Amino acid sequence: MVRQADRSARTARASVWLADRTGKGRRNDQPSGLDRDRITAVAVRLLDAEGLAGFSMRRLAAELNVTAMSVYWYVDTKDDLLELALDAVHGELEPSAHAGPGTPSAGQGWRTDLRALAVAYRALLVRHPWVSPLTGSFLNIGPRAVAFSRRLREVMGETGLESHARRGAISSVFQFVYGFGTIEGHFIQRCAAAGVTQDEYFRDALGSIGEQPELAETFGEAAGLLPADGGDCVEDLRERDFAFALDVLIAGIEAQGAR
Amino acid sequence: MVRQADRSARTARASVWLADRTGKGRRNDQPSGLDRDRITAVAVRLLDAEGLAGFSMRRLAAELNVTAMSVYWYVDTKDDLLELALDAVHGELEPSAHAGPGTPSAGQGWRTDLRALAVAYRALLVRHPWVSPLTGSFLNIGPRAVAFSRRLREVMGETGLESHARRGAISSVFQFVYGFGTIEGHFIQRCAAAGVTQDEYFRDALGSIGEQPELAETFGEAAGLLPADGGDCVEDLRERDFAFALDVLIAGIEAQGAR
DNA sequence: ACCTGAACACCGTTCAAGT
DNA sequence: ACCTGAACACCGTTCAAGT
């Protein structure tokens, strides 16, 4: 008996993408309506709604109106399914996913393109806060993630930097966006869970620790959120921080000899 | 009866640090030798050894030669304990923690100091890979984390940039280091778990996906690890990427008007 | 080929009870 | 004040069995 998701392909396999290349994406003609794509799509919806900690194979099965173990016909482990979900949302980074008609995705010079990619990746991390921990713990070599990194490499090719410098430049920009989007996405999630606005949450947290003076002094600055000059709301400040940081990065890349 | 870890202080409390400020750090005179500090220290050791996924209150209690529920006298929840562990390892960022005698930690200009802080933070993330997901999901306002961010702010003050620009500069550097250290720490962890060197793991992964040409072409570059010019090992390449990215960031900060 | 039910070895946490 | 044991409501996953 050959299981559709065959776990004997490699021992200690590093990723779903390195195994069972046969017949897993077939048409959905099962009585239950089960399917790798459908399972993945529902998993994404559940992850968005409940978060990574709230996601379980049993909850997922219930959502699919199926027994917990049915899912295991299509995926070997929970981790494999998470990898599938992780790559699936990277499809949102494809140019066609968000650009309107007549919006060229390239050809305006690397600065514009790089900004666009950074903005899109940040949005992905904020839309799906569970993406960040999974990116940190899987290899993330699914087809859609790979397509994104190829586009990124193409854009950076326009700087004229040699390959070594290009790798460093890519790293500086995208590790930054990853870090930024991670913290931002989680903060937003926390506020939503507590049922308050970001400003309320922030003010509340600041107020609570006001008794410890040195904490109050540093806390906001540490998270990059302290409204030092009043007026602005948390979102505005964060927007300015992000824009400024991108300016820093682009100026830095120029200083390394980009044309 | 007032529990030592009193959970009634606030509902939906955002952090351990915003509650039970009374008598929790007392001397260890319990028969079992239990203690918040000792619990935290053993938790850190267990997290280092088994990873975040392998850590459980029951495993921890066993390590402490105590029943699972004893720990709950000292901490409210597993999350609270994780916050304590998270802040504890931030103590390794203190100047005294790693600098030898006669090694001034400041006063050589912000470029040198900023590099030192980035290097130390990266090392922390690599030494304790569980720090990254926790930083992403907690507020991280413990005293040691706060002390670190104050030092960072002080160093950036030397650039002469106004406060808004300073915030963006801090963000660009430390979100980058966070992203970089996260991926690096996890990759190292994976290799160790598989019992192979980083180069072996990398070569194996590349070989496995060689059948899918476009994957093989992009994969390494995406993770920032592909040895494009032979010769170098994975560690060397990563070291160069990190150094280059820091150069980019510092040049970018200078371009924004830092003195 | 696909799906189920019972079972195993775990979790975090509550609660009443011991000393 | 501190610690325990039993219990509750969960997990991921295996395995033998159904159709």
Side-chain angles (χ1 to χ4, degrees), chain A residues 58 67-70 72:
Chain A
R58 289 167 134 109
T67 231
M69 285 351 324
S70 303
Y72 281 91

PDB file of all heavy atoms in Angstrom, chain A residues 58 67-70 72, chain C residues 4-8, chain D residues 11-17:
ATOM      1  N   ARG A  58      -6.860  18.789  14.729  1.00  0.00           N
ATOM      2  CA  ARG A  58      -8.230  18.418  15.095  1.00  0.00           C
ATOM      3  C   ARG A  58      -9.215  19.548  14.772  1.00  0.00           C
ATOM      4  O   ARG A  58     -10.316  19.289  14.273  1.00  0.00           O
ATOM      5  CB  ARG A  58      -8.266  18.043  16.579  1.00  0.00           C
ATOM      6  CG  ARG A  58      -7.574  16.716  16.870  1.00  0.00           C
ATOM      7  CD  ARG A  58      -7.332  16.516  18.365  1.00  0.00           C
ATOM      8  NE  ARG A  58      -7.705  15.192  18.830  1.00  0.00           N
ATOM      9  CZ  ARG A  58      -6.837  14.242  19.207  1.00  0.00           C
ATOM     10  NH1 ARG A  58      -5.554  14.469  19.184  1.00  0.00           N
ATOM     11  NH2 ARG A  58      -7.267  13.072  19.612  1.00  0.00           N
ATOM     12  N   THR A  67     -12.959  13.573   9.870  1.00  0.00           N
ATOM     13  CA  THR A  67     -12.292  13.089  11.073  1.00  0.00           C
ATOM     14  C   THR A  67     -10.841  13.570  11.089  1.00  0.00           C
ATOM     15  O   THR A  67     -10.238  13.807  10.042  1.00  0.00           O
ATOM     16  CB  THR A  67     -12.362  11.546  11.095  1.00  0.00           C
ATOM     17  OG1 THR A  67     -12.869  11.139  12.349  1.00  0.00           O
ATOM     18  CG2 THR A  67     -11.026  10.928  10.827  1.00  0.00           C
ATOM     19  N   ALA A  68     -10.306  13.700  12.291  1.00  0.00           N
ATOM     20  CA  ALA A  68      -8.968  14.264  12.427  1.00  0.00           C
ATOM     21  C   ALA A  68      -7.951  13.542  11.551  1.00  0.00           C
ATOM     22  O   ALA A  68      -7.065  14.145  10.947  1.00  0.00           O
ATOM     23  CB  ALA A  68      -8.526  14.217  13.888  1.00  0.00           C
ATOM     24  N   MET A  69      -8.094  12.236  11.456  1.00  0.00           N
ATOM     25  CA  MET A  69      -7.082  11.446  10.786  1.00  0.00           C
ATOM     26  C   MET A  69      -7.169  11.453   9.269  1.00  0.00           C
ATOM     27  O   MET A  69      -6.234  11.050   8.590  1.00  0.00           O
ATOM     28  CB  MET A  69      -7.111  10.014  11.294  1.00  0.00           C
ATOM     29  CG  MET A  69      -6.537   9.742  12.664  1.00  0.00           C
ATOM     30  SD  MET A  69      -5.635  10.920  13.627  1.00  0.00           S
ATOM     31  CE  MET A  69      -4.636  11.948  12.781  1.00  0.00           C
ATOM     32  N   SER A  70      -8.266  11.915   8.730  1.00  0.00           N
ATOM     33  CA  SER A  70      -8.404  11.942   7.266  1.00  0.00           C
ATOM     34  C   SER A  70      -7.340  12.830   6.632  1.00  0.00           C
ATOM     35  O   SER A  70      -6.803  12.526   5.561  1.00  0.00           O
ATOM     36  CB  SER A  70      -9.781  12.471   6.883  1.00  0.00           C
ATOM     37  OG  SER A  70     -10.779  11.682   7.474  1.00  0.00           O
ATOM     38  N   TYR A  72      -4.441  13.205   7.401  1.00  0.00           N
ATOM     39  CA  TYR A  72      -3.139  12.545   7.320  1.00  0.00           C
ATOM     40  C   TYR A  72      -2.971  11.683   6.070  1.00  0.00           C
ATOM     41  O   TYR A  72      -1.901  11.146   5.821  1.00  0.00           O
ATOM     42  CB  TYR A  72      -2.877  11.719   8.581  1.00  0.00           C
ATOM     43  CG  TYR A  72      -2.417  12.564   9.740  1.00  0.00           C
ATOM     44  CD1 TYR A  72      -3.334  13.096  10.638  1.00  0.00           C
ATOM     45  CD2 TYR A  72      -1.081  12.872   9.903  1.00  0.00           C
ATOM     46  CE1 TYR A  72      -2.921  13.886  11.698  1.00  0.00           C
ATOM     47  CE2 TYR A  72      -0.656  13.663  10.952  1.00  0.00           C
ATOM     48  CZ  TYR A  72      -1.578  14.174  11.852  1.00  0.00           C
ATOM     49  OH  TYR A  72      -1.171  14.972  12.894  1.00  0.00           O
TER      50      TYR A  72
ATOM     51  P    DT C   4     -14.069  10.492   7.778  1.00  0.00           P
ATOM     52  OP1  DT C   4     -15.417  11.069   7.938  1.00  0.00           O
ATOM     53  OP2  DT C   4     -12.870  11.308   8.009  1.00  0.00           O
ATOM     54  O5'  DT C   4     -13.972   9.202   8.699  1.00  0.00           O
ATOM     55  C5'  DT C   4     -14.961   8.189   8.603  1.00  0.00           C
ATOM     56  C4'  DT C   4     -14.694   7.121   9.642  1.00  0.00           C
ATOM     57  O4'  DT C   4     -13.413   6.518   9.374  1.00  0.00           O
ATOM     58  C3'  DT C   4     -14.630   7.630  11.076  1.00  0.00           C
ATOM     59  O3'  DT C   4     -15.659   6.991  11.811  1.00  0.00           O
ATOM     60  C2'  DT C   4     -13.229   7.254  11.565  1.00  0.00           C
ATOM     61  C1'  DT C   4     -12.805   6.177  10.593  1.00  0.00           C
ATOM     62  N1   DT C   4     -11.338   6.094  10.320  1.00  0.00           N
ATOM     63  C2   DT C   4     -10.618   5.025  10.784  1.00  0.00           C
ATOM     64  O2   DT C   4     -11.106   4.127  11.441  1.00  0.00           O
ATOM     65  N3   DT C   4      -9.279   5.050  10.459  1.00  0.00           N
ATOM     66  C4   DT C   4      -8.610   6.005   9.708  1.00  0.00           C
ATOM     67  O4   DT C   4      -7.418   5.911   9.475  1.00  0.00           O
ATOM     68  C5   DT C   4      -9.426   7.098   9.255  1.00  0.00           C
ATOM     69  C7   DT C   4      -8.822   8.191   8.424  1.00  0.00           C
ATOM     70  C6   DT C   4     -10.735   7.096   9.574  1.00  0.00           C
ATOM     71  P    DG C   5     -16.155   7.552  13.203  1.00  0.00           P
ATOM     72  OP1  DG C   5     -17.587   7.220  13.316  1.00  0.00           O
ATOM     73  OP2  DG C   5     -15.686   8.942  13.335  1.00  0.00           O
ATOM     74  O5'  DG C   5     -15.355   6.632  14.233  1.00  0.00           O
ATOM     75  C5'  DG C   5     -15.043   5.287  13.858  1.00  0.00           C
ATOM     76  C4'  DG C   5     -14.571   4.518  15.076  1.00  0.00           C
ATOM     77  O4'  DG C   5     -13.157   4.231  14.930  1.00  0.00           O
ATOM     78  C3'  DG C   5     -14.709   5.251  16.403  1.00  0.00           C
ATOM     79  O3'  DG C   5     -15.019   4.291  17.415  1.00  0.00           O
ATOM     80  C2'  DG C   5     -13.349   5.937  16.575  1.00  0.00           C
ATOM     81  C1'  DG C   5     -12.385   5.015  15.846  1.00  0.00           C
ATOM     82  N9   DG C   5     -11.344   5.704  15.077  1.00  0.00           N
ATOM     83  C8   DG C   5     -11.409   6.962  14.542  1.00  0.00           C
ATOM     84  N7   DG C   5     -10.319   7.312  13.914  1.00  0.00           N
ATOM     85  C5   DG C   5      -9.483   6.207  14.039  1.00  0.00           C
ATOM     86  C6   DG C   5      -8.165   5.992  13.553  1.00  0.00           C
ATOM     87  O6   DG C   5      -7.460   6.770  12.901  1.00  0.00           O
ATOM     88  N1   DG C   5      -7.685   4.728  13.897  1.00  0.00           N
ATOM     89  C2   DG C   5      -8.380   3.801  14.607  1.00  0.00           C
ATOM     90  N2   DG C   5      -7.758   2.650  14.832  1.00  0.00           N
ATOM     91  N3   DG C   5      -9.622   3.974  15.076  1.00  0.00           N
ATOM     92  C4   DG C   5     -10.100   5.212  14.748  1.00  0.00           C
ATOM     93  P    DA C   6     -14.969   4.647  18.951  1.00  0.00           P
ATOM     94  OP1  DA C   6     -16.069   3.873  19.565  1.00  0.00           O
ATOM     95  OP2  DA C   6     -14.905   6.105  19.136  1.00  0.00           O
ATOM     96  O5'  DA C   6     -13.581   3.989  19.421  1.00  0.00           O
ATOM     97  C5'  DA C   6     -13.205   2.708  18.921  1.00  0.00           C
ATOM     98  C4'  DA C   6     -11.814   2.326  19.415  1.00  0.00           C
ATOM     99  O4'  DA C   6     -10.807   2.965  18.589  1.00  0.00           O
ATOM    100  C3'  DA C   6     -11.514   2.746  20.845  1.00  0.00           C
ATOM    101  O3'  DA C   6     -10.716   1.730  21.447  1.00  0.00           O
ATOM    102  C2'  DA C   6     -10.730   4.031  20.663  1.00  0.00           C
ATOM    103  C1'  DA C   6      -9.911   3.687  19.426  1.00  0.00           C
ATOM    104  N9   DA C   6      -9.416   4.840  18.678  1.00  0.00           N
ATOM    105  C8   DA C   6     -10.077   6.008  18.414  1.00  0.00           C
ATOM    106  N7   DA C   6      -9.376   6.865  17.709  1.00  0.00           N
ATOM    107  C5   DA C   6      -8.170   6.214  17.490  1.00  0.00           C
ATOM    108  C6   DA C   6      -7.006   6.590  16.802  1.00  0.00           C
ATOM    109  N6   DA C   6      -6.848   7.760  16.186  1.00  0.00           N
ATOM    110  N1   DA C   6      -5.974   5.701  16.773  1.00  0.00           N
ATOM    111  C2   DA C   6      -6.126   4.522  17.396  1.00  0.00           C
ATOM    112  N3   DA C   6      -7.183   4.065  18.071  1.00  0.00           N
ATOM    113  C4   DA C   6      -8.186   4.963  18.079  1.00  0.00           C
ATOM    114  P    DA C   7     -10.279   1.798  22.998  1.00  0.00           P
ATOM    115  OP1  DA C   7     -10.385   0.425  23.528  1.00  0.00           O
ATOM    116  OP2  DA C   7     -11.005   2.914  23.639  1.00  0.00           O
ATOM    117  O5'  DA C   7      -8.740   2.178  22.919  1.00  0.00           O
ATOM    118  C5'  DA C   7      -7.880   1.378  22.119  1.00  0.00           C
ATOM    119  C4'  DA C   7      -6.526   2.060  21.996  1.00  0.00           C
ATOM    120  O4'  DA C   7      -6.652   3.230  21.141  1.00  0.00           O
ATOM    121  C3'  DA C   7      -5.932   2.555  23.321  1.00  0.00           C
ATOM    122  O3'  DA C   7      -4.712   1.886  23.550  1.00  0.00           O
ATOM    123  C2'  DA C   7      -5.737   4.060  23.113  1.00  0.00           C
ATOM    124  C1'  DA C   7      -5.738   4.199  21.600  1.00  0.00           C
ATOM    125  N9   DA C   7      -6.197   5.500  21.117  1.00  0.00           N
ATOM    126  C8   DA C   7      -7.383   6.135  21.388  1.00  0.00           C
ATOM    127  N7   DA C   7      -7.525   7.300  20.803  1.00  0.00           N
ATOM    128  C5   DA C   7      -6.335   7.460  20.093  1.00  0.00           C
ATOM    129  C6   DA C   7      -5.851   8.479  19.265  1.00  0.00           C
ATOM    130  N6   DA C   7      -6.538   9.594  19.005  1.00  0.00           N
ATOM    131  N1   DA C   7      -4.629   8.318  18.721  1.00  0.00           N
ATOM    132  C2   DA C   7      -3.941   7.191  18.994  1.00  0.00           C
ATOM    133  N3   DA C   7      -4.287   6.149  19.754  1.00  0.00           N
ATOM    134  C4   DA C   7      -5.514   6.352  20.276  1.00  0.00           C
ATOM    135  P    DC C   8      -3.894   2.164  24.911  1.00  0.00           P
ATOM    136  OP1  DC C   8      -3.294   0.889  25.328  1.00  0.00           O
ATOM    137  OP2  DC C   8      -4.779   2.906  25.843  1.00  0.00           O
ATOM    138  O5'  DC C   8      -2.724   3.132  24.447  1.00  0.00           O
ATOM    139  C5'  DC C   8      -1.885   2.740  23.352  1.00  0.00           C
ATOM    140  C4'  DC C   8      -0.773   3.759  23.189  1.00  0.00           C
ATOM    141  O4'  DC C   8      -1.278   4.905  22.461  1.00  0.00           O
ATOM    142  C3'  DC C   8      -0.244   4.291  24.513  1.00  0.00           C
ATOM    143  O3'  DC C   8       1.162   4.361  24.476  1.00  0.00           O
ATOM    144  C2'  DC C   8      -0.862   5.666  24.637  1.00  0.00           C
ATOM    145  C1'  DC C   8      -0.991   6.090  23.177  1.00  0.00           C
ATOM    146  N1   DC C   8      -2.100   7.065  22.938  1.00  0.00           N
ATOM    147  C2   DC C   8      -1.893   8.128  22.044  1.00  0.00           C
ATOM    148  O2   DC C   8      -0.794   8.226  21.485  1.00  0.00           O
ATOM    149  N3   DC C   8      -2.891   9.010  21.827  1.00  0.00           N
ATOM    150  C4   DC C   8      -4.067   8.864  22.450  1.00  0.00           C
ATOM    151  N4   DC C   8      -5.027   9.756  22.206  1.00  0.00           N
ATOM    152  C5   DC C   8      -4.298   7.791  23.355  1.00  0.00           C
ATOM    153  C6   DC C   8      -3.297   6.920  23.573  1.00  0.00           C
TER     154       DC C   8
ATOM    155  P    DC D  11      -7.345  20.786  20.444  1.00  0.00           P
ATOM    156  OP1  DC D  11      -7.856  21.992  19.784  1.00  0.00           O
ATOM    157  OP2  DC D  11      -7.975  19.477  20.144  1.00  0.00           O
ATOM    158  O5'  DC D  11      -5.794  20.684  20.173  1.00  0.00           O
ATOM    159  C5'  DC D  11      -5.224  19.411  20.171  1.00  0.00           C
ATOM    160  C4'  DC D  11      -3.776  19.496  20.447  1.00  0.00           C
ATOM    161  O4'  DC D  11      -3.508  18.987  21.764  1.00  0.00           O
ATOM    162  C3'  DC D  11      -2.998  18.641  19.481  1.00  0.00           C
ATOM    163  O3'  DC D  11      -2.352  19.464  18.548  1.00  0.00           O
ATOM    164  C2'  DC D  11      -2.031  17.865  20.343  1.00  0.00           C
ATOM    165  C1'  DC D  11      -2.705  17.820  21.711  1.00  0.00           C
ATOM    166  N1   DC D  11      -3.552  16.637  22.010  1.00  0.00           N
ATOM    167  C2   DC D  11      -2.949  15.390  22.190  1.00  0.00           C
ATOM    168  O2   DC D  11      -1.716  15.287  22.072  1.00  0.00           O
ATOM    169  N3   DC D  11      -3.730  14.319  22.493  1.00  0.00           N
ATOM    170  C4   DC D  11      -5.053  14.471  22.612  1.00  0.00           C
ATOM    171  N4   DC D  11      -5.776  13.391  22.928  1.00  0.00           N
ATOM    172  C5   DC D  11      -5.684  15.740  22.424  1.00  0.00           C
ATOM    173  C6   DC D  11      -4.909  16.785  22.111  1.00  0.00           C
ATOM    174  P    DG D  12      -2.524  19.179  16.995  1.00  0.00           P
ATOM    175  OP1  DG D  12      -2.129  20.374  16.248  1.00  0.00           O
ATOM    176  OP2  DG D  12      -3.831  18.547  16.743  1.00  0.00           O
ATOM    177  O5'  DG D  12      -1.391  18.058  16.808  1.00  0.00           O
ATOM    178  C5'  DG D  12      -0.043  18.401  17.081  1.00  0.00           C
ATOM    179  C4'  DG D  12       0.803  17.160  17.006  1.00  0.00           C
ATOM    180  O4'  DG D  12       0.296  16.213  17.979  1.00  0.00           O
ATOM    181  C3'  DG D  12       0.751  16.450  15.659  1.00  0.00           C
ATOM    182  O3'  DG D  12       2.058  16.013  15.316  1.00  0.00           O
ATOM    183  C2'  DG D  12      -0.219  15.300  15.888  1.00  0.00           C
ATOM    184  C1'  DG D  12      -0.016  14.974  17.363  1.00  0.00           C
ATOM    185  N9   DG D  12      -1.228  14.453  18.013  1.00  0.00           N
ATOM    186  C8   DG D  12      -2.476  15.031  18.025  1.00  0.00           C
ATOM    187  N7   DG D  12      -3.368  14.337  18.679  1.00  0.00           N
ATOM    188  C5   DG D  12      -2.670  13.230  19.129  1.00  0.00           C
ATOM    189  C6   DG D  12      -3.119  12.114  19.896  1.00  0.00           C
ATOM    190  O6   DG D  12      -4.258  11.880  20.341  1.00  0.00           O
ATOM    191  N1   DG D  12      -2.091  11.197  20.136  1.00  0.00           N
ATOM    192  C2   DG D  12      -0.795  11.357  19.689  1.00  0.00           C
ATOM    193  N2   DG D  12       0.058  10.378  20.017  1.00  0.00           N
ATOM    194  N3   DG D  12      -0.361  12.391  18.970  1.00  0.00           N
ATOM    195  C4   DG D  12      -1.351  13.283  18.722  1.00  0.00           C
ATOM    196  P    DT D  13       2.371  15.362  13.910  1.00  0.00           P
ATOM    197  OP1  DT D  13       3.814  15.463  13.607  1.00  0.00           O
ATOM    198  OP2  DT D  13       1.367  15.867  12.966  1.00  0.00           O
ATOM    199  O5'  DT D  13       2.060  13.831  14.219  1.00  0.00           O
ATOM    200  C5'  DT D  13       2.731  13.210  15.313  1.00  0.00           C
ATOM    201  C4'  DT D  13       2.239  11.789  15.475  1.00  0.00           C
ATOM    202  O4'  DT D  13       0.940  11.794  16.114  1.00  0.00           O
ATOM    203  C3'  DT D  13       2.066  11.004  14.166  1.00  0.00           C
ATOM    204  O3'  DT D  13       3.004   9.939  14.191  1.00  0.00           O
ATOM    205  C2'  DT D  13       0.614  10.538  14.197  1.00  0.00           C
ATOM    206  C1'  DT D  13       0.274  10.646  15.685  1.00  0.00           C
ATOM    207  N1   DT D  13      -1.177  10.817  16.005  1.00  0.00           N
ATOM    208  C2   DT D  13      -1.795   9.886  16.819  1.00  0.00           C
ATOM    209  O2   DT D  13      -1.212   8.922  17.273  1.00  0.00           O
ATOM    210  N3   DT D  13      -3.121  10.124  17.065  1.00  0.00           N
ATOM    211  C4   DT D  13      -3.886  11.183  16.583  1.00  0.00           C
ATOM    212  O4   DT D  13      -5.070  11.284  16.875  1.00  0.00           O
ATOM    213  C5   DT D  13      -3.185  12.119  15.738  1.00  0.00           C
ATOM    214  C7   DT D  13      -3.904  13.295  15.165  1.00  0.00           C
ATOM    215  C6   DT D  13      -1.882  11.894  15.497  1.00  0.00           C
ATOM    216  P    DT D  14       3.110   8.872  13.013  1.00  0.00           P
ATOM    217  OP1  DT D  14       4.536   8.589  12.803  1.00  0.00           O
ATOM    218  OP2  DT D  14       2.242   9.291  11.897  1.00  0.00           O
ATOM    219  O5'  DT D  14       2.444   7.592  13.703  1.00  0.00           O
ATOM    220  C5'  DT D  14       2.793   7.249  15.034  1.00  0.00           C
ATOM    221  C4'  DT D  14       2.171   5.916  15.415  1.00  0.00           C
ATOM    222  O4'  DT D  14       0.797   6.124  15.845  1.00  0.00           O
ATOM    223  C3'  DT D  14       2.101   4.884  14.288  1.00  0.00           C
ATOM    224  O3'  DT D  14       2.399   3.601  14.834  1.00  0.00           O
ATOM    225  C2'  DT D  14       0.647   4.972  13.808  1.00  0.00           C
ATOM    226  C1'  DT D  14      -0.067   5.279  15.122  1.00  0.00           C
ATOM    227  N1   DT D  14      -1.350   6.020  14.984  1.00  0.00           N
ATOM    228  C2   DT D  14      -2.424   5.630  15.752  1.00  0.00           C
ATOM    229  O2   DT D  14      -2.392   4.706  16.536  1.00  0.00           O
ATOM    230  N3   DT D  14      -3.563   6.387  15.564  1.00  0.00           N
ATOM    231  C4   DT D  14      -3.706   7.468  14.706  1.00  0.00           C
ATOM    232  O4   DT D  14      -4.766   8.072  14.619  1.00  0.00           O
ATOM    233  C5   DT D  14      -2.537   7.813  13.936  1.00  0.00           C
ATOM    234  C7   DT D  14      -2.598   8.960  12.983  1.00  0.00           C
ATOM    235  C6   DT D  14      -1.437   7.082  14.115  1.00  0.00           C
ATOM    236  P    DC D  15       2.745   2.330  13.903  1.00  0.00           P
ATOM    237  OP1  DC D  15       4.017   1.784  14.410  1.00  0.00           O
ATOM    238  OP2  DC D  15       2.601   2.700  12.469  1.00  0.00           O
ATOM    239  O5'  DC D  15       1.565   1.329  14.248  1.00  0.00           O
ATOM    240  C5'  DC D  15       0.748   1.534  15.406  1.00  0.00           C
ATOM    241  C4'  DC D  15      -0.597   0.853  15.219  1.00  0.00           C
ATOM    242  O4'  DC D  15      -1.625   1.860  15.051  1.00  0.00           O
ATOM    243  C3'  DC D  15      -0.686  -0.063  13.992  1.00  0.00           C
ATOM    244  O3'  DC D  15      -1.200  -1.316  14.393  1.00  0.00           O
ATOM    245  C2'  DC D  15      -1.627   0.667  13.043  1.00  0.00           C
ATOM    246  C1'  DC D  15      -2.509   1.447  14.029  1.00  0.00           C
ATOM    247  N1   DC D  15      -3.132   2.662  13.448  1.00  0.00           N
ATOM    248  C2   DC D  15      -4.418   3.063  13.888  1.00  0.00           C
ATOM    249  O2   DC D  15      -4.983   2.390  14.757  1.00  0.00           O
ATOM    250  N3   DC D  15      -4.987   4.153  13.339  1.00  0.00           N
ATOM    251  C4   DC D  15      -4.336   4.850  12.396  1.00  0.00           C
ATOM    252  N4   DC D  15      -4.931   5.924  11.898  1.00  0.00           N
ATOM    253  C5   DC D  15      -3.032   4.469  11.944  1.00  0.00           C
ATOM    254  C6   DC D  15      -2.475   3.383  12.492  1.00  0.00           C
ATOM    255  P    DA D  16      -1.114  -2.583  13.377  1.00  0.00           P
ATOM    256  OP1  DA D  16      -0.292  -3.601  14.041  1.00  0.00           O
ATOM    257  OP2  DA D  16      -0.805  -2.136  12.015  1.00  0.00           O
ATOM    258  O5'  DA D  16      -2.636  -3.060  13.427  1.00  0.00           O
ATOM    259  C5'  DA D  16      -3.352  -2.993  14.667  1.00  0.00           C
ATOM    260  C4'  DA D  16      -4.834  -2.983  14.400  1.00  0.00           C
ATOM    261  O4'  DA D  16      -5.236  -1.671  13.935  1.00  0.00           O
ATOM    262  C3'  DA D  16      -5.299  -3.977  13.324  1.00  0.00           C
ATOM    263  O3'  DA D  16      -6.507  -4.607  13.741  1.00  0.00           O
ATOM    264  C2'  DA D  16      -5.488  -3.088  12.092  1.00  0.00           C
ATOM    265  C1'  DA D  16      -5.973  -1.795  12.731  1.00  0.00           C
ATOM    266  N9   DA D  16      -5.740  -0.602  11.924  1.00  0.00           N
ATOM    267  C8   DA D  16      -4.635  -0.300  11.172  1.00  0.00           C
ATOM    268  N7   DA D  16      -4.710   0.852  10.548  1.00  0.00           N
ATOM    269  C5   DA D  16      -5.946   1.351  10.917  1.00  0.00           C
ATOM    270  C6   DA D  16      -6.628   2.536  10.598  1.00  0.00           C
ATOM    271  N6   DA D  16      -6.126   3.481   9.796  1.00  0.00           N
ATOM    272  N1   DA D  16      -7.852   2.722  11.139  1.00  0.00           N
ATOM    273  C2   DA D  16      -8.351   1.771  11.940  1.00  0.00           C
ATOM    274  N3   DA D  16      -7.806   0.624  12.315  1.00  0.00           N
ATOM    275  C4   DA D  16      -6.599   0.469  11.765  1.00  0.00           C
ATOM    276  P    DA D  17      -7.185  -5.748  12.841  1.00  0.00           P
ATOM    277  OP1  DA D  17      -7.621  -6.802  13.774  1.00  0.00           O
ATOM    278  OP2  DA D  17      -6.324  -6.076  11.681  1.00  0.00           O
ATOM    279  O5'  DA D  17      -8.462  -4.988  12.294  1.00  0.00           O
ATOM    280  C5'  DA D  17      -9.244  -4.185  13.186  1.00  0.00           C
ATOM    281  C4'  DA D  17     -10.130  -3.281  12.384  1.00  0.00           C
ATOM    282  O4'  DA D  17      -9.340  -2.251  11.752  1.00  0.00           O
ATOM    283  C3'  DA D  17     -10.864  -3.972  11.236  1.00  0.00           C
ATOM    284  O3'  DA D  17     -12.204  -4.276  11.668  1.00  0.00           O
ATOM    285  C2'  DA D  17     -10.810  -2.964  10.079  1.00  0.00           C
ATOM    286  C1'  DA D  17     -10.086  -1.760  10.660  1.00  0.00           C
ATOM    287  N9   DA D  17      -9.167  -1.102   9.750  1.00  0.00           N
ATOM    288  C8   DA D  17      -7.943  -1.543   9.333  1.00  0.00           C
ATOM    289  N7   DA D  17      -7.333  -0.722   8.514  1.00  0.00           N
ATOM    290  C5   DA D  17      -8.218   0.332   8.372  1.00  0.00           C
ATOM    291  C6   DA D  17      -8.162   1.537   7.630  1.00  0.00           C
ATOM    292  N6   DA D  17      -7.119   1.871   6.860  1.00  0.00           N
ATOM    293  N1   DA D  17      -9.211   2.368   7.728  1.00  0.00           N
ATOM    294  C2   DA D  17     -10.244   2.029   8.507  1.00  0.00           C
ATOM    295  N3   DA D  17     -10.418   0.933   9.255  1.00  0.00           N
ATOM    296  C4   DA D  17      -9.354   0.126   9.136  1.00  0.00           C
TER     297       DA D  17
END
